[in-house]
Amino acid sequence: MIAGFVLRLTRESIPLTQAGMAEALGVDLGTVQGRESGRRPLANMKAGALLDLRRRLLALGADQTALGLLDAAMDADRIIGAALDPPEQPELHPLAGWVHTRDTAHVIAWAVNGTPPPALRRPSPSRRGPVAGAPLMGTQERNAFFSHLRSAVERAEKTGDGRALLHRQALYLTSYDCSSEANSWTAHALHARRGLVAVQGGSPRWAGARSTATALARRGDPVPLLDFINRSIADDDAAEAANLNYWAYWLGALREPQPSDAFMDDRALTGWDPVTLLRGLAQGFHESPGYVDLYAHSLWALLTAHRWLPQASPALARTLAGRVARILETGSISLRSRRELSAVHYVLRDQKP
């Protein structure tokens, strides 16, 4: 469903009608309509055919941002599909088999509450007749999706660290349910774990504590996240590395799919591009004020590890320096964040090539 919707946005960005797209691709109109409606899921296409479709869309002038969300949309469809038709074996659940990315989380949020991913928050093309503005799930499907997630959290909780990835990711996604009937369960589940913020880097529960703290911050409670930074990241080399590695994957600087949270243990910070991570942190710092403490510390840690970054991307450094200066002037932030952002601002502003 979601992948078909993203495919429709991609077609409209060219722009082409469904008939025009069918002609451009050399397929019948029913094929285009089936892919966009979800009746012919993109995930069922052969790998070669899907790769050819992507390249043809790119050659036709499709918006690369929309096109780039196709993988996340197919991941989201699998996660939602597993909720509506759960696998018999928990280890086969998509939330237990790979670490999902920010794009996947944003696309799921799009389907459950209509909030588009930040990259797509721009005016939509005019259309004739009533056309959905988001790949919203129906009420019954949405309720079933969150009910399944809550059940998955409770079952994984009983198995301990053996289902840590499933538990962490399912619990995080339940925080997207803003319905009144779900608020009490979600608040209880998250707050019951807020005492676990003081875990050492390298612990199997570290990533779960981080996700819990960020979920609470998104729901309006920033205190556990600040506690987590102070007690489970700062001054812990393993945790500092894990935090940057997690960000690198979450923000697309580390592109290889990860089957578990073990990739966070790399203290050498290899396998990802620091410039791409700086760009992602700069964008998120601007778009997500609720996480300002985590962004502040992570920017400080990244620039401490790679002080050459401002020289590698001067334009990005100047833009970020302006955003940091505005936060320092007007933002209500913790003492730690103010201290670390002041250091970040100095490096961005004063370091010369």
Side-chain angles (χ1 to χ4, degrees):
M1 178 185 71
I2 305 174
F5 190 90
V6 172
L7 183 63
R8 193 197 82 192
L9 292 184
T10 304
R11 168 180 61 78
E12 291 175 343
S13 73
I14 295 176
L16 284 174
T17 63
Q18 288 183 330
M21 177 62 76
E23 183 178 356
L25 296 178
V27 298
D28 60 78
L29 179 59
T31 296
V32 173
Q33 293 173 334
R35 289 171 178 171
E36 292 187 4
S37 68
R39 293 193 306 272
R40 295 185 178 184
L42 294 182
N44 289 353
M45 294 179 66
K46 293 183 178 179
L50 182 58
L51 179 62
D52 182 64
L53 175 62
R54 290 175 182 270
R55 291 177 174 174
R56 289 288 299 131
L57 290 170
L58 189 62
L60 290 168
D63 179 79
Q64 294 189 38
T65 300
L67 189 58
L69 283 177
L70 276 178
D71 281 343
M74 287 189 285
D75 279 349
D77 278 336
R78 284 194 63 196
I79 292 168
I80 292 172
L84 302 179
D85 185 16
E88 294 184 5
Q89 299 172 288
E91 61 270 20
L92 298 180
H93 195 291
L95 290 176
W98 81 87
V99 184
H100 71 250
T101 66
R102 181 181 67 163
D103 283 345
T104 299
H106 282 171
V107 168
I108 290 174
W110 193 20
V112 298
N113 61 34
T115 303
L120 293 180
R121 291 175 189 170
R122 54 179 180 267
S124 300
S126 59
R127 307 182 182 98
R128 296 180 179 177
V131 179
L136 278 172
M137 300 168 65
T139 301
Q140 184 175 356
E141 289 183 334
R142 180 184 175 282
N143 291 341
F145 172 65
F146 282 118
S147 175
H148 167 78
L149 288 179
R150 291 189 287 270
S151 297
V153 169
E154 292 169 349
R155 288 195 299 269
E157 185 82 55
K158 297 176 182 178
T159 62
D161 292 342
R163 294 282 181 268
L165 183 61
L166 173 59
H167 181 275
R168 174 175 76 78
Q169 299 195 123
L171 179 58
Y172 182 83
L173 289 175
T174 62
S175 67
Y176 283 104
D177 189 354
C178 299
S179 62
S180 57
E181 62 271 17
N183 277 335
S184 59
W185 185 96
T186 305
H188 174 76
L190 291 172
H191 282 279
R193 297 179 58 82
R194 65 183 295 168
L196 300 177
V197 296
V199 292
Q200 294 182 336
S203 165
R205 298 191 176 188
W206 184 90
R210 185 186 187 281
S211 290
T212 299
T214 55
L216 284 166
R218 188 159 48 77
R219 292 178 65 87
D221 184 0
V223 175
L225 182 55
L226 187 56
D227 285 347
F228 180 74
I229 295 167
N230 288 329
R231 300 167 64 187
S232 297
I233 301 181
D235 304 318
D236 180 338
D237 291 344
E240 294 284 13
N243 183 54
L244 291 178
N245 288 330
Y246 190 97
W247 272 125
Y249 185 74
W250 187 249
L251 297 176
L254 174 60
R255 295 188 174 278
E256 292 77 14
Q258 300 297 324
S260 74
D261 290 333
F263 73 96
M264 300 181 206
D265 297 338
D266 178 15
R267 295 198 189 187
L269 307 179
T270 58
W272 47 267
D273 175 35
V275 175
T276 301
L277 178 54
L278 179 63
R279 185 176 297 108
L281 288 173
Q283 180 181 353
F285 182 66
H286 175 64
E287 295 174 344
S288 307
Y291 301 110
V292 64
D293 293 306
L294 184 57
Y295 276 106
H297 183 78
S298 302
L299 284 166
W300 172 83
L302 179 62
L303 289 171
T304 299
H306 300 293
R307 294 188 67 88
W308 50 268
L309 275 173
Q311 301 175 23
S313 185
L316 174 60
R318 287 192 297 271
T319 299
L320 180 56
R323 292 173 180 170
V324 169
R326 287 191 290 275
I327 291 292
L328 289 172
E329 291 171 2
T330 63
S332 177
I333 55 178
S334 68
L335 291 177
R336 171 181 287 278
S337 294
R338 184 166 295 279
R339 183 173 66 251
E340 291 174 344
L341 283 180
S342 295
V344 166
H345 189 251
Y346 174 79
V347 172
L348 293 172
R349 183 193 62 189
D350 296 332
Q351 184 164 317
K352 304 298 182 184

